[in-house]
Amino acid sequence: MQNDYSVADYLLDRLAGCGIHHLFGVPGDYNLQFLDNVIQHPAVHWVGCANELNAAYAADGYGRCQGAGALLTTFGVGELSAINGVAGSFAEYVPVLQIVGAPCRSVQQRGELLHHTLGDGDFSHFWRMYEPISAAQAVLTAQNACYEIDRVIRTMLSESRPGYLMLPADVAKMAATPPVNVITPSPLQPNEARLDSFRHRVQAMLSESPHVALLADFLAHRFGVQKMLQCWMKDSPIPHATLLMGKGLFDETQPGFVGTYSGAASPPQVREAIEGADTVICVGVRFTDTITAGFTQQLPAARTIDIQPFSARVGEEWFSGISMQDAVNTLISVCRNNPRCVLDPVPEPSARSPYHSGTLSQHTFWQTLQAFIRPGDILLADQGTAAFGAASLRLPAEVEMLTQPLWGSIGYCLPAAFGAQTACPERRVILLSGDGAAQLTIQELGSMLRDGQRPIILLLNNDGYTVERAIHGAHQRYNDIARWNWTHIPHALSHDCQAECWRVSETVQLAEALEAASHHHRLALIEVMLPQADLPDLLRDVTHALETRNS
Ligand code: TPP
């Protein structure tokens, strides 16, 4: 053991132990000394961001690809800038550890009027603001630091949601001993009797169901059953789909995959395959407004088996205390022994060839992109026409797709792409962002260039907030944005700019730019000019549903 081993080192060793090898954030005087430990740490690298909101988004993107992420901010001003991003991680079940460098314990106890406080001597305001958006919080002290670090990290991993640590500068420096074990999520103890009743109910329901379908969504990814579902669908496929939040769970080119389910706004063959089944097995699904075109799904409880992270429902009957893994294992074994759980022929979607002529529209844009995506890509689509258009893509094997349709904070995807590329430097990252969204968080393009990243960025320029125009106020000036010269931005954000930029308005130009981008070893920014009022089909239904619900 090193003599000067401290709480700071212990925390960093814990991060590395959960596979977190990059810490995103912004320095401040309350975390500067901790940052010296970060710089010296052999397995955790500091990744400075342009602001804390971006750091939170980057840690979230990193966490979705790596299993967990972390960010470091300073007290008050820093952590409150990050709060939107961490709330998104909470809503969408991404384990991100928020570490806040705070004033020393003694000055907190004296209630001194310090900078970055509200000037009232109360240092608890901000961690209390984090209570509703983190699974566990701790204010570290000399007595509790290592124990509380472990507790918060374990809860974060078990619940797949953010954890919050307030780290006073003096506590970070206190002596500690290195951890001797690895933190693992607390497993739910299997209750054999309950699992047996669950199996019997599943058997009974499936034996009366000539047609069974599988609908999986993002919680299947977050709670670690993605590979099990993929193997199941590969070995003995049944008609299966995801919702937009879970897109990328399956190889969408495999037999049985029918498409992205969006309630009444689904393509007819998807709706028929899912809603027409006698029993639908839902794994990790949450029906939220935008991805169901305003809750238009027709999946009554009596015809569904619903697998959630820590419980399951068969018809109307709930079984608590069953882990998602155990429930999926049970389903797989029952389905394998049930001759009815086989694949009925599902009509293949019509083969699509990219258009290579004419002015770009939403239709030709998505067709051209479809032809460009290859196995293993990481695709990010921001809230707006980007995410809803991406629902229609058919993703090849091992494509990871990052969207944020529940929290829906525009601008999320650009920093998240920075985080994803940091986690997976060898994979091709394709970012789809609206012009409005990009204006919120574009600064992180500078960090991408600084770190030599080479994502392909498709900046969808439809001259303002198209999705908002479709909901309300098509011609109102509140839906206009400042017109930026997008292709100049990378040069403004980097001294030695290793980027290549295109502005395309013809389909053939887009296809050529994508082709060129995939061969050049530089960051690519393609500004895609699209008609202002053009919408992907799915978004037309979604915006109609949202306008109706708000009236
Ligand atoms: N602010 C945040 C942080 N998140 C939001 N979702 C909104 C405001 C409301 N909002 C939702 S979509 C949108 C806005 C302002 C416009 C998105 O415009 P753009 O990125 O250009 O995409 P487009 O719809 O034009 O493709």
Side-chain angles (χ1 to χ4, degrees):
M1 190 190 89
Q2 284 169 254
N3 287 339
D4 55 355
Y5 191 88
S6 64
V7 167
D9 301 315
Y10 183 92
L11 174 53
L12 293 167
D13 282 348
R14 280 309 197 195
L15 294 187
C18 345
I20 302 173
H21 297 291
H22 295 85
L23 179 60
F24 298 89
V26 179
D29 60 333
Y30 299 129
N31 66 29
L32 282 174
Q33 296 180 18
F34 173 65
L35 270 165
D36 288 338
N37 294 69
V38 180
I39 296 298
Q40 280 165 19
H41 198 275
V44 178
H45 304 284
W46 173 243
V47 187
C49 294
N51 62 58
E52 290 85 353
L53 174 61
N54 287 2
Y57 289 155
D60 178 298
Y62 184 93
R64 289 184 196 224
C65 296
Q66 185 79 2
L71 81 151
L72 175 68
T73 65
T74 195
F75 189 75
V77 290
E79 59 187 313
L80 293 197
S81 290
I83 206 164
N84 174 2
V86 178
S89 303
F90 185 82
E92 303 211 349
Y93 287 81
V94 185
V96 168
L97 187 67
Q98 154 81 321
I99 304 165
V100 179
C104 293
R105 295 290 296 165
S106 55
V107 297
Q108 290 196 37
Q109 276 150 11
R110 288 197 295 274
E112 291 181 5
L113 305 192
L114 299 190
H115 60 287
H116 305 336
T117 70
L118 300 183
D120 59 359
D122 185 341
F123 291 80
S124 71
H125 292 299
F126 310 129
W127 72 257
R128 285 193 286 115
M129 291 183 191
Y130 268 86
E131 263 178 335
I133 57 159
S134 51
Q137 319 79 33
V139 176
L140 301 182
T141 65
Q143 292 76 33
N144 74 13
C146 297
Y147 174 83
E148 285 291 83
I149 288 169
D150 287 4
R151 179 185 63 83
V152 169
I153 291 179
R154 186 171 297 108
T155 310
M156 169 184 94
L157 296 176
S158 305
E159 296 190 21
S160 193
R161 283 185 139 160
Y164 175 99
L165 292 177
M166 192 212 273
L167 177 62
D170 56 329
V171 176
K173 288 195 279 186
M174 296 197 159
T177 49
V180 288
N181 58 352
V182 173
I183 299 182
T184 49
S186 331
L188 206 53
Q189 289 310 318
N191 178 325
E192 293 303 335
R194 201 163 312 150
L195 210 51
D196 262 357
S197 341
F198 171 70
R199 180 180 294 108
H200 287 126
R201 279 292 291 124
V202 167
Q203 268 163 346
M205 190 158 173
L206 292 186
S207 66
E208 287 166 15
S209 303
H211 297 97
V212 179
L214 169 68
L215 182 61
D217 207 37
F218 73 109
L219 291 175
H221 174 265
R222 306 294 195 272
F223 286 88
V225 299
Q226 177 173 8
K227 285 275 172 266
M228 291 162 76
L229 295 179
Q230 285 176 345
C231 293
W232 179 18
M233 289 304 105
K234 201 159 183 238
D235 295 348
S236 33
I238 55 174
H240 57 287
T242 67
L243 287 112
L244 175 58
M245 268 178 101
K247 203 164 167 61
L249 272 174
F250 295 111
D251 175 353
E252 301 187 352
T253 59
Q254 286 279 315
F257 183 80
V258 293
T260 309
Y261 177 72
S262 319
S266 314
Q269 77 278 7
V270 179
R271 198 169 175 196
E272 175 51 30
I274 300 302
E275 294 183 0
D278 302 294
T279 296
V280 181
I281 300 169
C282 298
V283 180
V285 174
R286 294 280 160 92
F287 294 112
T288 66
D289 59 350
T290 61
I291 61 173
T292 58
F295 306 112
T296 57
Q297 74 277 4
Q298 296 293 323
L299 295 167
R303 284 203 290 115
T304 51
I305 296 174
D306 185 15
I307 310 301
Q308 290 296 326
F310 307 108
S311 60
R313 177 179 55 71
V314 185
E316 307 284 354
E317 194 176 344
W318 275 102
F319 297 83
S320 60
I322 293 185
S323 74
M324 189 176 272
Q325 303 236 349
D326 286 342
V328 170
N329 260 328
T330 306
L331 277 164
I332 293 174
S333 71
V334 172
C335 282
R336 285 227 168 97
N337 297 322
N338 183 347
R340 291 168 196 269
C341 286
V342 291
L343 184 65
D344 286 340
V346 173
E348 278 294 307
S350 51
R352 295 190 271 176
S353 57
Y355 282 97
H356 283 299
S357 63
T359 309
L360 275 164
S361 63
Q362 284 288 334
H363 187 64
T364 57
F365 170 73
W366 292 106
Q367 285 203 320
T368 309
L369 184 67
Q370 176 71 68
F372 182 67
I373 298 168
R374 62 180 193 220
D377 283 346
I378 299 177
L379 204 63
L380 298 100
D382 218 289
Q383 210 50 9
T385 54
F388 290 96
S392 67
L393 292 172
R394 199 156 259 238
L395 303 179
E398 305 298 330
V399 169
E400 189 123 18
M401 171 135 175
L402 275 62
T403 54
Q404 205 201 40
L406 172 56
W407 185 242
S409 188
I410 60 167
Y412 157 76
C413 277
L414 193 142
F418 174 53
Q421 187 80 87
T422 304
C424 308
E426 303 309 324
R427 288 175 73 175
R428 193 168 77 162
V429 169
I430 302 172
L431 164 66
L432 302 155
S433 172
D435 49 350
Q439 288 197 357
L440 273 80
T441 53
I442 192 73
Q443 306 94 319
E444 237 41 62
L445 194 71
S447 308
M448 290 173 166
L449 288 164
R450 176 199 65 200
D451 293 354
Q453 294 189 354
R454 297 170 296 157
I456 296 173
I457 300 174
L458 293 153
L459 193 294
L460 311 188
N461 185 348
N462 48 17
D463 198 14
Y465 300 142
T466 291
V467 62
E468 301 291 32
R469 290 187 206 283
I471 298 173
H472 190 83
H475 305 292
Q476 291 288 8
R477 115 184 125 76
Y478 50 68
N479 284 325
D480 295 338
I481 59 172
R483 289 184 175 144
W484 286 12
N485 207 333
W486 288 102
T487 53
H488 288 209
I489 299 276
H491 297 272
L493 297 183
S494 169
H495 255 288
D496 167 31
C497 183
Q498 292 299 314
E500 202 149 352
C501 301
W502 293 261
R503 176 182 293 125
V504 299
S505 48
E506 300 284 319
T507 310
V508 66
Q509 293 174 328
L510 172 63
E512 283 167 7
L514 286 169
E515 180 62 19
S518 65
H519 291 116
H520 295 184
H521 297 291
R522 311 165 97 188
L523 180 148
L525 187 146
I526 306 175
E527 181 185 1
V528 183
M529 307 304 289
L530 288 164
Q532 194 183 54
D534 201 6
L535 295 181
D537 291 341
L538 171 59
L539 192 53
R540 220 177 290 283
D541 294 320
V542 170
T543 52
H544 178 69
L546 294 184
E547 171 73 327
T548 312
R549 292 178 72 82
N550 285 334
S551 345

